[in-house]
Amino acid sequence: MRWRSSLRIYASFCFRLTSHSVAIRMVERDRIVKVVNLTHRELQRWGIERPRLAVAALNPHGAEGGLFGVEEASEILPAIEAARGIDDINVNGPFSADTVFLRASRGEFDAVIACYHDQAMIPVKCLSFGEAVNVTLGLPFIRTSVDHGTAFDIAGKGVAEHSSMMAAIKLAADLSTQAGESCRPVEA
């Protein structure tokens, strides 16, 4: 998945929603390489010629050289090095998750690869709740959705905020145009 906000923060997840205990076990070299490659390819498809990708570290402060964990050295760094060999992908990291999204929001990176859902969603939603958009990567068509989930608790009450839906529709149209996949307007 990829999230985009009005601040141009793009984030990909290494996997779908899962518990943190499972997420830690899923931080694997091959999975990260696939997500980096997919994110790179899709950003190119949507008009970013040479995407600048960052990979967030799993552990606090990027593990501080193994003090807080080993996943950065054993899985994430080898994945970054392997991904660089695929079509000369411009990917760097692992970067401490507490600053990498701020750096991306300031334009240093085009996208951040997050190790788990909340690692990306907390900064994205804090910076642009109601304007962020989910884009599912790797499909043969553009698929966007709102940033806030289903909101079943307010469904049918007439109180839902529509800005994220409008942003999702607009982004789908923009990405389709950038990818050369838009079609002629439907006539009534």
Side-chain angles (χ1 to χ4, degrees):
M1 283 190 252
R2 177 174 147 249
W3 287 81
R4 176 186 183 248
S5 74
S6 60
L7 297 172
R8 302 281 301 179
I9 298 174
Y10 295 87
S12 292
F13 310 137
C14 288
F15 38 82
R16 293 180 183 209
L17 280 170
T18 187
S19 71
H20 286 140
S21 61
V22 171
I24 291 167
R25 292 192 304 271
M26 293 179 74
V27 175
E28 300 169 334
R29 177 194 175 277
D30 291 344
R31 183 184 310 274
I32 296 166
V33 169
K34 287 178 185 176
V35 173
V36 168
N37 188 39
L38 177 62
T39 303
H40 177 264
R41 186 183 74 227
E42 295 293 270
L43 289 176
Q44 283 187 320
R45 175 179 164 206
W46 297 326
I48 300 175
E49 189 173 317
R50 192 168 195 292
R52 298 163 299 148
L53 307 178
V55 179
L58 173 66
N59 294 298
H61 302 277
E64 295 282 359
L67 183 62
F68 297 124
V70 298
E71 293 82 4
E72 286 73 15
S74 66
E75 301 295 332
I76 300 172
L77 191 55
I80 291 167
E81 291 169 353
R84 286 180 183 147
I86 302 171
D87 296 328
D88 193 34
I89 293 176
N90 182 7
V91 58
N92 291 287
F95 296 110
S96 182
D98 63 359
T99 58
V100 71
F101 288 93
L102 177 64
R103 293 169 68 182
S105 74
R106 292 179 175 170
E108 189 174 342
F109 306 112
D110 296 308
V112 177
I113 312 314
C115 290
Y116 56 93
H117 179 271
D118 284 3
Q119 187 179 47
M121 296 319 306
I122 291 169
V124 169
K125 287 184 177 185
C126 282
L127 291 169
S128 60
F129 188 79
E131 297 174 9
V133 176
N134 171 286
V135 182
T136 304
L137 301 181
L139 299 175
F141 53 88
I142 306 296
R143 186 243 179 226
T144 63
S145 64
V146 297
D147 69 349
H148 53 66
T150 56
F152 283 129
D153 58 327
I154 60 171
K157 296 180 180 177
V159 297
E161 167 58 48
H162 68 279
S163 59
S164 185
M165 176 60 83
M166 297 299 292
I169 292 168
K170 183 179 181 326
L171 182 60
D174 290 348
L175 292 177
S176 294
T177 299
Q178 290 168 0
E181 299 169 7
S182 61
C183 58
R184 62 182 173 80
V186 177
E187 296 178 18

